[in-house]
Amino acid sequence: MNPIFKLLSIAFVIAICISCEKADKNPALDDFCSAAPAGWNCEIVRDNFDIRDYPKNADVPLAVIKYQNPDRAFEKYVDTPVSSSLILDFYPIAQKQELITFIKSQQMYSWCIPIYYGETKEYFIITSPCFINSGTFTDEADACIEDLHNALEELITKNSY
């Protein structure tokens, strides 16, 4: 057998395994708290949702996960420190197309719009600019939450829609 053919065959099999592994990400909700780096508090809300924890006009989610790091603060306004935070809204993956359509329909509005965060085999996850560090996107604020985003990316798949 040609050595180049063997190498290409092995590379092809590895590529398929990697793509299958990525597509099959199926963490439980508790895994999203376990993955949070040290210093991050995590709360899973499964009922009695606060309407301020999911975007306006969105359906009620299956769960809301709230992260906060009280040890990482940045200035939102002069002399007003704010703790780094993130809110993620979890929906059944079966609602994926409906949610993509909803997200696109809300893009014309100015600020607290829904945005795609990622997905797993079971969940479609959205957030809002308002739910990421209370809507603050300075370099300082972004640096405060970078480790959390990196940790969560290990659990989810991000696609372009």
Side-chain angles (χ1 to χ4, degrees):
M1 183 180 264
N2 183 342
I4 294 175
F5 181 75
K6 279 184 183 179
L7 286 174
L8 288 174
S9 297
I10 291 169
F12 180 72
V13 170
I14 290 171
I16 288 175
C17 290
I18 290 171
S19 68
C20 289
E21 182 180 310
K22 185 176 180 179
D24 288 335
K25 290 182 179 179
N26 197 24
L29 289 174
D30 291 335
D31 294 331
F32 283 87
C33 283
S34 300
W40 285 94
N41 298 326
C42 180
E43 174 189 8
I44 301 174
V45 181
R46 298 174 195 261
D47 55 17
N48 298 319
F49 301 107
D50 184 331
I51 61 169
R52 295 171 294 184
D53 290 339
Y54 55 95
K56 186 176 180 176
N57 300 322
D59 289 339
V60 175
L62 287 175
V64 173
I65 299 184
K66 299 178 180 187
Y67 299 93
Q68 185 175 32
N69 191 327
D71 298 327
R72 292 195 188 157
F74 53 88
E75 282 194 14
K76 183 170 179 160
Y77 305 108
V78 177
D79 298 327
T80 308
V82 176
S83 293
S84 193
S85 62
L86 174 67
I87 298 173
L88 298 177
D89 301 313
F90 289 71
Y91 292 87
I93 196 67
Q95 287 184 262
K96 177 179 181 171
Q97 194 54 54
E98 176 186 333
L99 288 163
I100 291 168
T101 301
F102 171 66
I103 289 168
K104 289 179 179 179
S105 76
Q106 300 299 297
Q107 289 176 348
M108 71 177 113
Y109 299 108
S110 63
W111 186 239
C112 289
I113 59 172
I115 57 174
Y116 171 75
Y117 191 81
E119 60 195 86
T120 69
K121 187 176 178 183
E122 196 171 330
Y123 302 110
F124 192 85
I125 307 162
I126 67 172
T127 189
S128 171
C130 296
F131 300 162
I132 303 169
N133 281 337
S134 302
T136 305
F137 294 94
T138 62
D139 289 342
E140 180 186 20
D142 291 347
C144 287
I145 199 168
E146 184 177 10
D147 66 332
L148 178 62
H149 287 307
N150 290 338
L152 295 175
E153 284 179 8
E154 295 296 318
L155 300 177
I156 64 174
T157 300
K158 288 193 173 193
N159 294 306
S160 298
Y161 295 115

